[in-house]
Amino acid sequence: MEWTYTTSNLANYAKKGQEFVIERVIGVNPTRVHNDYNENDNSQLNDKNHSSESWINIIYNYAVLMFEDYVITDVQIVPDRVWVWVRVSARRSTNVQLFQNFILLWLNDSINEDATSNIVAQLRQVIYNVKTFADVNQLVDFSNDMKDVKIFMIFSEEFAQTTVPIVHDMPQDDPDLIGVLFQITVNPLISLIPFADISDVSYYQTEEEILFSMHSVCRIGDIKQIDDNNRLWEIELALTSDNDPQLSALTEHIRQDTLPYQKGWYRLGQLLITLGQTSKAQQLETITETTTSTSSSITMTSPTITTPQTTTSTITMTTTQESHSPKPGDGICANATWTRNGETVAGGNKRGSALNQLNYPYGLFVDNNQVIYVVDKENNRVVKWDPGASSGQLVAGGNGEGEDNNQLNGPIDVVVDTDGVMYITDTGNGRVQRWPRGAQSGETVVEELFIFGIAQDDQGTLYLSNEIKYDVRKWRVGETVGQLITSELSFPRLLFVDRSRSIYIADSNNHRVVKVDDGATQISIVATGYLENSTAKIENPTSVVVDELGTVYLSDSDNQIIRWLRGAKFGHVIVGGYHPGFQSDQLFNPTDIAFDSDGNLYVVDSSNHRVQKFAIDKSMC
């Protein structure tokens, strides 16, 4: 849009303190102005008969662009048949992002303009109007003269208790506003969080100033009125101790909510999806795929997030052995129960990297001999634990985080065939590693970004879930194309394949378990909704196992293992279900489950860095 000046029409240049008004003529007529606006702004406006309010919005947007060094305070238009007159009121500023509707009042009895000029100058980069006072009466008198202006005040310590009540007794434009005074207590004996007494280097020698670390967390104490004034409150805060159990639980919940099992670009991609920035995640995927394809010796064409029907990769598996974890051949009767207290069969010696320790384990596989394979995610390895062993054996990875064939990077899940060959979702590296028994390194058989869970059927076909693409695909032995099974998912986690090759998926963000029959394209929901005699629901399931009777077992984010009988309307908790904790009857972020051939239940208790075994009780069967 062209802005046209004429001498007669530019005469109106009236200063109002920091403000001025410029009157300009735009275009030839309103229709031309509107057409120019659409052409330059790609607007979707098609109606040329704008209301006055609509015209003001249009002109305001252009005023913002034309007056780059000013803050626009008002726009008026005077249209007639030929011209569109525009009166733009603006205030000059050195920073167009200034908070022009605020005034900052700073009260300090020792304030000195020379000593604080640098601070004031910096404050004015954010808030245009900054006033300093050394006397409370001067501040009050000035504040009483302010009309229709929001005031922000800073008090030094010696003024806080006496001045705040005075200020809040002053007339307020907004009766809903209240004031809050925070009193923070620090006990250096119970906290290692960095903080420092900076009184000796502060501008204000009369104050005891404390500099807190950015990640300081305070516990809220008493909240009370000051001088019975219902618009003035004092809140007591105390810096938390380092071993505060509630803070630890909250921190762990936040850590799990920010996708700790992913690293680098993969974690960023998932966070973008969670925040609704799917286009940004798609751009990120394109970048990482380009980088991968130019640096890898494996030829692949990976799909975008919109998931086309095929994905090219290379798979060289030769096994045709059944590999999913065993389950009772006759199913588990409906009256079976499991012990309330679990037995630690792997880890449980705090977080660490020794072979008797685990570090946020995730996936689990139990073979026919009750040998446990644990994906020790943060240690970038897979560890095997024999029954009754006090330590595990390193069987894959363990050579630090990396992308070499003897390394893993944030692995998630594993399946093992009857020859002892492991297939590991090396999620941080965007690949599946085939790792023969006793081998020092693996080989890449599938390369796919954002893979998560893995399952294998009796023909050796691999099934992989993808959290970013929201789909599950399968790779048959000898094929180079991944076939899409379903994309009707939201953050699918771990998988299970039954003997008829039906695939069960923990569809986490849809809070359900779904099933896709072999050869089918439609999903069916097999577990979702409320638990029996409870208002609780399935929340973000992470894993699923199904027995021979079609009963579904799943772990979810409420630290519990749920059983859902085939065709039932409700599920019920069989293990856990309490607040997160480390006792033998508690779980803290269970991520995977499995059964042995007797029906004993194994649970990866991830945030307790252990695997728990819950013995089955068939006495009521």
Side-chain angles (χ1 to χ4, degrees):
M1 179 184 293
E2 180 180 359
W3 291 70
T4 305
Y5 303 76
T6 67
T7 303
S8 60
N9 292 326
L10 197 59
N12 203 356
Y13 184 87
K15 290 186 177 180
K16 299 179 181 178
Q18 294 287 341
E19 279 195 3
F20 64 88
V21 176
I22 290 182
E23 186 173 277
R24 291 185 175 181
V25 177
I26 300 179
V28 177
N29 57 49
T31 300
R32 175 181 169 181
V33 171
H34 174 65
N35 290 338
D36 288 344
Y37 177 78
N38 277 337
E39 178 181 352
N40 288 285
D41 195 60
N42 296 320
S43 172
Q44 298 301 311
L45 297 174
N46 294 314
D47 181 11
K48 297 180 181 179
N49 299 314
H50 290 299
S51 65
S52 176
E53 180 180 358
S54 178
W55 270 109
I56 290 177
N57 290 335
I58 293 172
I59 302 306
Y60 179 86
N61 291 333
Y62 270 91
V64 171
L65 295 176
M66 296 304 298
F67 295 93
E68 292 182 337
D69 295 328
Y70 300 86
V71 176
I72 308 302
T73 57
D74 186 46
V75 174
Q76 295 180 341
I77 61 169
V78 185
D80 60 22
R81 292 182 303 168
V82 179
W83 301 104
V84 176
W85 298 72
V86 180
R87 296 189 180 99
V88 179
S89 301
R91 178 185 294 115
R92 187 174 185 86
S93 71
T94 58
N95 186 337
V96 296
Q97 296 182 355
L98 296 181
F99 294 105
Q100 295 293 343
N101 58 341
F102 280 85
I103 293 180
L104 173 63
L105 306 184
W106 188 355
L107 178 63
N108 190 304
D109 66 345
S110 59
I111 200 163
N112 182 298
E113 188 63 31
D114 293 333
T116 60
S117 59
N118 184 49
I119 297 176
V120 172
Q122 293 182 53
L123 284 171
R124 282 177 175 153
Q125 296 298 312
V126 181
I127 300 177
Y128 189 84
N129 289 315
V130 179
K131 302 292 184 182
T132 59
F133 299 90
D135 180 80
V136 64
N137 293 323
Q138 294 176 352
L139 178 143
V140 171
D141 291 343
F142 181 87
S143 301
N144 285 328
D145 291 336
M146 294 293 99
K147 304 296 182 184
D148 301 321
V149 176
K150 296 179 181 178
I151 299 175
F152 183 82
M153 297 184 180
I154 299 177
F155 304 126
S156 60
E157 184 179 11
E158 62 271 17
F159 281 120
Q161 292 287 352
T162 58
T163 307
V164 173
I166 296 174
V167 170
H168 279 269
D169 285 338
M170 297 167 56
Q172 300 285 330
D173 292 331
D174 187 346
D176 295 327
L177 291 177
I178 63 171
V180 179
L181 177 66
F182 293 97
Q183 295 281 6
I184 303 176
T185 301
V186 178
N187 185 349
L189 298 178
I190 65 172
S191 177
L192 298 178
I193 297 176
F195 63 92
D197 184 347
I198 60 171
S199 299
D200 56 341
V201 295
S202 172
Y203 279 111
Y204 315 109
Q205 298 297 318
T206 60
E207 294 186 17
E208 296 181 1
E209 291 198 70
I210 301 294
L211 183 66
F212 288 97
S213 169
M214 287 289 290
H215 64 278
S216 299
V217 179
C218 292
R219 180 179 290 277
I220 298 175
D222 290 341
I223 302 176
K224 55 188 178 183
Q225 292 182 359
I226 297 178
D227 295 335
D228 295 325
N229 187 335
N230 63 0
R231 296 177 60 196
L232 184 60
W233 296 81
E234 177 181 310
I235 299 178
E236 295 181 358
L237 304 176
L239 197 64
T240 56
S241 65
D242 299 295
N243 58 356
D244 186 301
Q246 290 182 329
L247 177 61
S248 298
L250 176 61
T251 302
E252 176 58 24
H253 179 78
I254 294 173
R255 195 189 76 85
Q256 292 297 328
D257 226 25
T258 54
L259 313 170
Y261 44 79
Q262 296 286 20
K263 300 190 178 184
W265 297 112
Y266 308 99
R267 189 177 189 187
L268 177 58
Q270 288 192 334
L271 286 173
L272 288 171
I273 290 292
T274 302
L275 295 172
Q277 300 295 323
T278 54
S279 60
K280 293 296 183 182
Q282 189 170 11
Q283 293 174 21
L284 177 64
E285 183 188 33
T286 301
I287 294 171
T288 53
E289 286 181 347
T290 302
T291 303
T292 301
S293 63
T294 57
S295 63
S296 173
S297 61
I298 297 176
T299 302
M300 62 170 287
T301 303
S302 186
T304 62
I305 289 177
T306 54
T307 63
Q309 294 298 307
T310 60
T311 298
T312 301
S313 187
T314 301
I315 182 165
T316 58
M317 300 172 295
T318 58
T319 179
T320 58
Q321 304 284 348
E322 184 176 9
S323 65
H324 49 73
S325 293
K327 51 190 176 297
D330 58 351
I332 300 174
C333 79
N335 294 325
T337 60
W338 287 262
T339 56
R340 176 178 177 181
N341 296 297
E343 172 194 359
T344 301
V345 293
N349 296 300
K350 298 182 179 180
R351 178 183 179 185
S353 58
L355 285 176
N356 68 339
Q357 295 177 304
L358 298 171
N359 188 356
Y360 291 105
Y362 204 99
L364 173 73
F365 184 91
V366 181
D367 71 12
N368 288 312
N369 299 314
Q370 298 186 355
V371 175
I372 304 168
Y373 294 80
V374 184
V375 180
D376 194 8
K377 178 173 61 68
E378 292 299 317
N379 283 326
N380 302 295
R381 67 189 184 185
V382 177
V383 184
K384 181 178 76 171
W385 294 68
D386 292 323
S390 59
S391 293
Q393 306 168 48
L394 181 65
V395 291
N399 296 303
E401 176 186 307
E403 58 183 14
D404 293 339
N405 279 337
N406 68 340
Q407 294 178 302
L408 299 171
N409 180 2
I412 292 295
D413 201 10
V414 62
V415 292
V416 186
D417 66 25
T418 53
D419 291 329
V421 178
M422 294 175 290
Y423 295 88
I424 307 163
T425 52
D426 188 13
T427 304
N429 286 323
R431 65 188 183 184
V432 174
Q433 291 294 87
R434 180 182 184 273
W435 210 293
R437 177 186 294 173
Q440 299 300 309
S441 61
E443 61 173 326
T444 302
V445 294
V446 173
E447 188 164 340
E448 174 84 345
L449 297 176
F450 309 115
I451 54 176
F452 198 82
I454 187 170
Q456 189 178 39
D457 65 22
D458 58 352
Q459 295 183 340
T461 299
L462 292 182
Y463 301 77
L464 299 172
S465 63
N466 190 305
E467 282 203 310
I468 292 299
K469 297 172 184 174
Y470 294 168
D471 67 20
V472 171
R473 295 172 183 264
K474 67 179 179 181
W475 276 260
R476 293 188 177 93
V477 177
E479 291 185 343
T480 59
V481 174
Q483 178 185 344
L484 178 66
I485 294 177
T486 181
S487 59
E488 301 177 52
L489 308 168
S490 180
F491 286 93
R493 297 300 209 271
L494 302 188
L495 314 169
F496 183 86
V497 179
D498 67 15
R499 298 187 191 278
S500 63
R501 302 188 197 102
S502 294
I503 183 78
Y504 295 80
I505 307 160
D507 189 11
S508 184
N509 277 19
N510 284 325
H511 311 292
R512 65 187 184 180
V513 173
V514 299
K515 174 186 178 184
V516 182
D517 291 323
D518 185 29
T521 58
Q522 297 296 318
I523 66 171
S524 58
I525 300 172
V526 295
T528 191
Y530 290 96
L531 305 183
E532 192 173 24
N533 300 320
S534 174
T535 58
K537 297 180 179 181
I538 291 178
E539 295 287 346
N540 300 107
T542 57
S543 65
V544 57
V545 172
V546 182
D547 69 17
E548 289 294 331
L549 300 179
T551 301
V552 174
Y553 302 82
L554 62 101
S555 58
D556 79 352
S557 61
D558 278 346
N559 304 297
Q560 59 195 0
I561 310 303
I562 297 170
R563 186 184 194 192
W564 205 286
L565 296 174
R566 186 173 184 175
K569 295 182 179 180
F570 304 99
H572 62 276
V573 176
I574 59 173
V575 165
Y578 308 104
H579 292 297
F582 58 87
Q583 301 299 328
S584 61
D585 63 344
Q586 291 178 301
L587 300 172
F588 193 177
N589 185 33
T591 53
D592 198 6
I593 58 176
F595 288 101
D596 63 23
S597 56
D598 294 326
N600 299 308
L601 174 65
Y602 297 76
V603 181
V604 177
D605 191 11
S606 184
S607 294
N608 283 324
H609 316 291
R610 67 187 181 185
V611 176
Q612 294 290 86
K613 176 183 176 181
F614 297 87
I616 190 170
D617 181 357
K618 301 180 181 179
S619 61
M620 300 299 292
C621 290

